[in-house]
């Protein structure tokens, strides 16, 4: 399925071939680099180039490599927001954790949410969506 990912600020295309490309910098550290994420919801493969790596339990600031806007959510602590555009042109907010090693993804529709990852329960409190409109991937 051909989906696109856009920066929430500049609407620039973050996906190249089979990866989403973001800039990441470790909080309170000079460590920074580019990270490739898998566009498939629930796939937590990240690719970086050594010596830069995403460390378990460390917090990262993600920025758009095009406009340099911060993508970490101001509304939901520890979540990062990008926009997913599906084949039918519909746009969804997709959130993932800014903490290294945490596996959770939320795809927010108008009145429904798709949830993936074993760490998702930590953040479901943010999303006030009735159980019948929640889909667990
Ligand atoms: Zn941008």
């Amino acid at each position: 399925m051909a989906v696109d990912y856009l920066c929430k600020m500049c609407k620039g295309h973050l996906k190249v071939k089979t990866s989403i490309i973001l800039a990441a910098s470790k909080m309170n550290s000079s460590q920074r680099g580019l990270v490739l994420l898998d566009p498939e919801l629930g796939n937590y493969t990240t690719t970086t180039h050594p010596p830069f790596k995403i460390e378990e339990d460390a917090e990262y600031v993600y920025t758009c490599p095009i406009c340099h806007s911060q993508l970490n959510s101001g509304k939901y602590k520890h979540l990062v927001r990008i926009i997913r555009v599906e084949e039918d042109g519909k746009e969804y907010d997709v959130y993932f954790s800014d903490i290294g090693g945490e596996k959770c993804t939320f795809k927010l529709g108008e009145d429904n949410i798709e949830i993936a990852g074993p760490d998702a329960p930590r953040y479901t409190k943010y999303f006030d969506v009735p159980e019948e409109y929640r889909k667990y991937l």
Side-chain angles (χ1 to χ4, degrees), residues 7-12 14 64-69 71:
C7 166
K8 65 180 178 182
M9 299 304 289
C10 72
K11 301 287 169 81
L14 299 171
C64 169
I66 306 159
C67 73
H68 309 294
S69 294
L71 301 176

Side-chain angles (χ1 to χ4, degrees), residues 70-132:
Q70 187 172 321
L71 301 176
N72 296 56
S73 172
K75 193 170 164 191
Y76 305 126
K77 193 170 162 58
H78 292 312
L79 294 184
V80 179
R81 176 164 73 96
I82 54 177
I83 295 168
R84 174 180 162 109
V85 186
E86 302 204 333
E87 274 181 337
D88 58 7
K90 279 195 183 143
E91 292 189 6
Y92 298 88
D93 284 331
V94 166
Y95 291 89
F96 63 91
S97 175
D98 68 7
I99 297 172
E102 270 198 357
K103 296 179 169 68
C104 62
T105 319
F106 302 92
K107 178 184 141 189
L108 209 58
E110 258 168 52
D111 53 6
N112 60 73
I113 188 166
E114 292 179 25
I115 300 168
D119 296 311
R122 217 168 280 181
Y123 302 105
T124 44
K125 60 175 186 258
Y126 289 158
F127 304 102
D128 186 23
V129 178
E131 195 57 44
E132 61 264 39

